[in-house]
Amino acid sequence: MNDLSIVTLGMILLTASLVAMISRRLQLPYSVGLVAAGVALGFMPGVAELPLSRDLIFTVFLPPLIFQAALAIEWRHFRLNLPVTILLAFPGVAIAAVVVAAGMHVLLGWTWMGAGLFGVLIAATDPVSVIAAFREMKVQPRLALLVESESLLNDGAAAVGFGILAAIAAGAEATPLSIAGSLFWTVAGGTASGAAVAAVLLLIAGRTEDHLVEITLTTIAAYGSFLLAEDLGMSGVLATLTAGLIVGNVGWKGAISANARSHVLAFWEYAAFLANSIVFILIGGHEAHQPLGIFAGTSAVAVILVLVGRILAIYPFCAVLAATSLKVDASYQHILVWGGLRGALALALALALPQTVAERSQIIVVAFAVVAFSIFVQGLTMPWLIRRMGLTAESSGSATRDSSSL
């Protein structure tokens, strides 16, 4: 966070606190309020442009958000629904990316390379946006699990596709064998590195009952697993997800002391609030400086293609599961489509595009436009849609449905 001065950080945190108070009083999505506040700050005279980069998002904000979300996931429920989330996160992302890439190439004349990179980076739903939105709305447990776990897993697919295409754009060759090897290394390697880091740190944590030490060790698990995996060319998100699942399901059984558990959970809840607040305000600040009007038509086409790709990634695969015990209710499918929010992850990948990509500047602007639509249109209408379908945890009869679904 070298480009984020203490004064700027203080201003962001004060703004986030005020937005949180106002949003909850008005019953509006917190993330929408934060982005709107960021846009307002971006237009204020005398305020320096807020820094936003791939490294800042990946190395500072993503690890605590993913780790905190994974801590709250029960392995039993996660495992039962894993076939659904894998189906949506990997083949689903591939289909969505192909739809967007083909549309941008055919309709707008983008090169296949530029269209492909944009399709991949925008296909994956963003853990930052999705987790923030669903935490606030208190949706039914299985729905929350499906949406959050898919958003965490599909980053692996997007990262692999983006990495392969970026390497090709830089002049590397790609064969079916190399692509398969890259997929295995990214997914299996990320999972293994996360498990290894978590196991070592839980072993150390089991030798102390000092909650401050145990919080420190979980912090190392979150960031250490992410940075180790990324440094080795693996999926940092999958590594941190694995580490969080292990700490939250194995750690509570003895390695993390009973006295420390409440302290650990409170710390990570605050860390996630802090990361969410800063990243959404930074997104808003950058939205304010994007020449969205220049590519308004292109952005509109991209938004439609992204929605079509999401539809084709959800409904057909859920139809395949309709006759099984993993059946996904139609109302859940609608939320999975409309709740496929985009955010920091798409922008981080867009900002990391190679300079050799012909449409690089257009991709960055259009990615910001899609993210803006996702947050302001989909984000603002999600609470209404969830309440209209009776999918909140407080809805009548939800407990019965959820217990059978999970």
Side-chain angles (χ1 to χ4, degrees):
M1 300 174 70
N2 295 334
D3 298 326
L4 200 59
S5 68
I6 296 298
V7 174
T8 301
L9 181 60
M11 178 182 63
I12 289 174
L13 294 179
L14 177 61
T15 302
S17 300
L18 295 174
V19 168
M21 295 165 62
I22 296 170
S23 297
R24 284 164 188 167
R25 178 162 296 186
L26 298 178
Q27 295 186 331
L28 292 174
Y30 176 51
S31 55
V32 176
L34 288 171
V35 175
V39 172
L41 287 174
F43 282 118
M44 287 178 61
V47 177
E49 183 175 345
L50 301 178
L52 186 68
S53 66
R54 178 198 179 280
D55 290 340
L56 188 64
I57 294 172
F58 265 67
T59 60
V60 178
F61 300 127
L62 274 184
L65 288 166
I66 295 164
F67 191 81
Q68 191 271 338
L71 278 178
I73 295 176
E74 291 187 34
W75 171 250
R76 178 170 61 90
H77 297 157
F78 181 77
R79 178 179 56 80
L80 289 174
N81 289 280
L82 192 57
V84 182
T85 52
I86 287 178
L87 197 61
L88 299 180
F90 291 95
V93 164
I95 287 177
V98 169
V99 169
V100 173
M104 299 301 282
H105 174 74
V106 173
L107 299 177
L108 300 176
W110 283 16
T111 64
W112 275 116
M113 180 55 64
L117 284 165
F118 177 72
V120 170
L121 70 86
I122 210 68
T125 56
D126 181 31
V128 178
S129 298
V130 173
I131 291 168
F134 277 74
R135 281 283 184 266
E136 295 165 35
M137 286 181 250
K138 296 182 174 64
V139 299
Q140 292 179 8
R142 190 187 184 216
L143 175 59
L145 177 66
L146 287 174
V147 175
E148 291 180 8
S149 58
E150 186 222 345
S151 72
L152 291 168
L153 286 176
N154 65 21
D155 169 70
V160 171
F162 185 86
I164 291 171
L165 290 179
I168 295 173
E173 293 185 6
T175 64
L177 184 61
S178 66
I179 293 173
S182 179
L183 176 63
F184 178 81
W185 178 258
T186 302
V187 176
T191 303
S193 63
V197 171
V200 170
L201 291 171
L202 283 181
L203 185 64
I204 299 173
R207 299 179 178 277
T208 181
E209 292 189 359
D210 186 332
H211 69 275
L212 295 178
V213 173
E214 291 173 283
I215 289 173
T216 303
L217 291 172
T218 61
T219 304
I220 297 172
Y223 280 98
S225 59
F226 191 96
L227 296 175
L228 173 64
E230 288 290 320
D231 189 55
L232 296 175
M234 304 167 180
S235 172
V237 170
L238 291 179
T240 302
L241 171 62
T242 303
L245 282 171
I246 291 175
V247 172
N249 288 274
V250 178
W252 301 149
K253 295 180 179 179
I256 303 294
S257 64
N259 174 60
R261 180 172 179 174
S262 60
H263 295 287
V264 170
L265 292 174
F267 169 80
W268 283 108
E269 186 176 1
Y270 174 68
F273 169 79
L274 198 65
N276 269 323
S277 301
I278 297 174
V279 76
F280 279 118
I281 288 178
L282 293 183
I283 289 174
H286 270 251
E287 291 280 6
H289 297 285
Q290 295 300 315
L292 301 178
I294 298 176
F295 301 109
T298 302
S299 299
V301 171
V303 167
I304 293 171
L305 288 172
V306 168
L307 290 175
V308 172
R310 183 67 176 169
I311 289 170
L312 295 177
I314 297 297
Y315 292 123
F317 286 119
C318 288
V320 172
L321 301 168
T324 71
S325 61
L326 295 170
K327 176 184 177 181
V328 179
D329 292 342
S331 57
Y332 284 17
Q333 295 178 43
H334 303 329
I335 299 301
L336 282 164
V337 170
W338 196 244
L341 306 181
R342 273 70 178 179
L345 180 61
L347 300 182
L349 294 177
L351 293 170
L353 282 168
Q355 296 290 338
T356 55
V357 177
E359 295 86 1
R360 185 179 188 276
S361 59
Q362 294 182 61
I363 290 173
I364 293 174
V365 174
V366 174
F368 269 95
V370 173
V371 169
F373 176 88
S374 172
I375 292 174
F376 286 110
V377 179
Q378 294 173 260
L380 278 174
T381 54
M382 277 297 296
W384 173 84
L385 185 60
I386 288 174
R387 285 193 294 267
R388 181 68 181 269
M389 292 185 172
L391 297 176
T392 58
E394 295 84 3
S395 297
S396 176
S398 65
T400 302
R401 288 196 298 272
D402 287 333
S403 60
S404 61
S405 299
L406 287 169

